[in-house]
Amino acid sequence: MKKIAVVILNWNGAKLLEQFLPSVVAFSDEATVYVADNASTDASIKVIKEQFPTVKIIQNDANYGFAKGYNVALEHVEEEYYALVNSDIEVTENWLAPILSIFDAELEIGIIQPKILDYKNKEYFEYAGAAGGFIDQFGYPFCRGRIFETIEKDNHQYDDEREIFWASGACFFIRKEIYRRLKGFDDDFFAHQEEIDLCWRAFNLGYKAKYTSKSIVYHVGGATLNEGNPRKTFLNFRNSLLMLVKNIPDNQLVVIIFIRLLLDGLAGVQFLIKGKFNHFLAIIKAHFSFYTLIRKNYAKRGSSQKNNYYHTKSIVYRYFIKNGRVFE
């Protein structure tokens, strides 16, 4: 058995598989490549069998979304390391070697992210992950190379290896033992923010996440659910609140949640000003869904929550008031 499994979650993505699986197959000799299919109704399975016979297929019996879809599929994957890769990722030659080197040599590292650049504009970082993720005290995520809507050009300013707080689910490496100890992604999330929650839970248990620029991939982003979709707004706002309930230390929980709800309200007003009523409504729906899930998710809290989880107190204040557009 090979040490690493590359697992691509798919739902009705036959065209994406035809476009992006060739690079994965060509440059992943060190790995066993799987496609975990969420009960697609298009030609996905046919495409894999006819065009990519070396790829193993795991067929889920329903569309479980990103979180549960991976949880169900990975029950059947026994390689030591998992590479969870979006179906709209183009990988590069030798992309796995730096990852394997870190996992083998640095036993305290449980999660790794490569450099993620924009497939459509390859000189720039990609929104979902860029050069490694962090959060502020209120749970707002940001990256080296991307803060809110500001995306940096890759001028090799993040050509390094360093500890990060979260790794992007677009291309997410994790040790199998840690994934299973944490019981994988949170099924309640369905999709979006589940990788940050998983990294946070790993952090609370003492595991570290790392970014390496020696591994490079290109991500289309929004190929399955684009930024203009109110469903994405709903999932991001709701899941971010659920993540806080599960991971914020007890002595900060009520205050942080209250402030975050107010900040969400300001975001809703901004959507109204821009005429994006559906996104404003999505935030309201996200809050009501959050209220119904508070008790269930509070019960998921681990035995300990660390205070030093955030990189800066308020990325909102730094970005919008102090004009801090790039990572410090």
Side-chain angles (χ1 to χ4, degrees), residues 266-277:
L266 290 175
V269 170
Q270 187 180 39
F271 278 131
L272 275 182
I273 292 171
K274 292 179 178 179
K276 297 181 177 181
F277 182 76

Side-chain angles (χ1 to χ4, degrees), residues 23 32 42 63 77 124 133-134 172 183 208 260 311 316:
S23 72
T32 305
D42 68 353
N63 178 18
V77 179
Y124 283 79
F134 298 84
F172 185 94
K183 298 181 181 178
K208 295 180 179 180
R260 179 57 191 268
H311 183 76
V316 175

Side-chain angles (χ1 to χ4, degrees), residues 104-148:
D104 289 346
E106 302 178 42
L107 301 183
E108 75 280 7
I109 302 298
I111 295 167
I112 305 173
Q113 184 199 296
K115 179 191 281 192
I116 303 178
L117 299 175
D118 189 342
Y119 178 79
K120 298 174 292 236
N121 193 355
K122 293 187 175 182
E123 293 183 343
Y124 283 79
F125 287 97
E126 210 281 315
Y127 184 93
F134 298 84
I135 59 173
D136 74 0
Q137 190 173 12
F138 305 102
Y140 284 105
F142 59 97
C143 308
R144 297 197 305 164
R146 188 274 297 172
I147 301 178
F148 291 112

Side-chain angles (χ1 to χ4, degrees), residues 204-257:
N204 284 334
L205 290 178
Y207 298 111
K208 295 180 179 180
K210 192 170 191 177
Y211 159 84
T212 177
S213 62
K214 294 177 182 177
S215 175
I216 300 172
V217 301
Y218 298 95
H219 184 214
V220 173
T224 54
L225 193 61
N226 66 52
E227 291 294 329
N229 193 317
R231 173 69 173 168
K232 192 164 193 170
T233 299
F234 166 82
L235 289 169
N236 274 322
F237 277 81
R238 185 201 63 177
N239 292 349
S240 186
L241 290 167
L242 294 177
M243 179 174 66
L244 293 176
V245 166
K246 292 170 61 180
N247 295 294
I248 290 287
D250 280 324
N251 63 342
Q252 302 177 39
L253 182 58
V254 174
V255 172
I256 294 296
I257 292 291

Side-chain angles (χ1 to χ4, degrees), residues 166-180:
W166 60 270
S168 170
C171 192
F172 185 94
F173 296 88
I174 186 169
R175 297 180 190 270
K176 177 186 69 176
E177 62 179 286
I178 296 174
Y179 190 90
R180 292 189 173 178

Side-chain angles (χ1 to χ4, degrees), residues 10-21:
N10 174 72
W11 181 69
N12 288 346
K15 291 182 179 179
L16 291 174
L17 294 174
E18 288 182 309
Q19 183 176 359
F20 293 103
L21 252 185

Side-chain angles (χ1 to χ4, degrees), residues 230-231 233-235 237 264 267-269 271-272 275-289:
R231 173 69 173 168
T233 299
F234 166 82
L235 289 169
F237 277 81
D264 283 2
V269 170
F271 278 131
L272 275 182
K276 297 181 177 181
F277 182 76
N278 287 337
H279 292 271
F280 168 76
L281 194 61
I283 294 177
I284 295 175
K285 290 179 178 178
H287 280 203
F288 278 105
S289 179

